[in-house]
Amino acid sequence: MSLEEDIVKLLKHEGYKINEAIRDALDEFLDIVNDENEDMDDTDEDGADADDDDT
């Protein structure tokens, strides 16, 4: 099962209605998340977690 299907099921379970505009927005959101994750992988060459604070 894909992440999009899981999110749609979760939204429906919470009582939200899903239409084509919401599915399009979800597709765009997941594209952005995937792009950003790829960018983070490319910039994090030393193996450190990008969210870790060294303070």
Side-chain angles (χ1 to χ4, degrees):
M1 185 172 292
S2 72
L3 180 58
E4 180 179 357
E5 291 171 353
D6 289 342
I7 293 171
V8 167
K9 281 186 176 183
L10 182 62
L11 290 171
K12 285 182 178 180
H13 179 74
E14 291 294 321
Y16 292 100
K17 296 179 182 178
I18 305 298
N19 63 15
E20 187 174 338
I22 293 171
R23 285 188 184 273
D24 289 345
L26 182 55
D27 285 339
E28 186 175 336
F29 169 73
L30 292 174
D31 287 343
I32 292 169
V33 169
N34 288 329
D35 290 345
E36 290 298 319
N37 277 324
E38 287 175 7
D39 289 345
M40 283 189 275
D41 289 344
D42 292 344
T43 58
D44 190 22
E45 296 175 1
D46 66 352
D49 189 8
D51 292 336
D52 284 348
D53 241 352
D54 292 334
T55 56

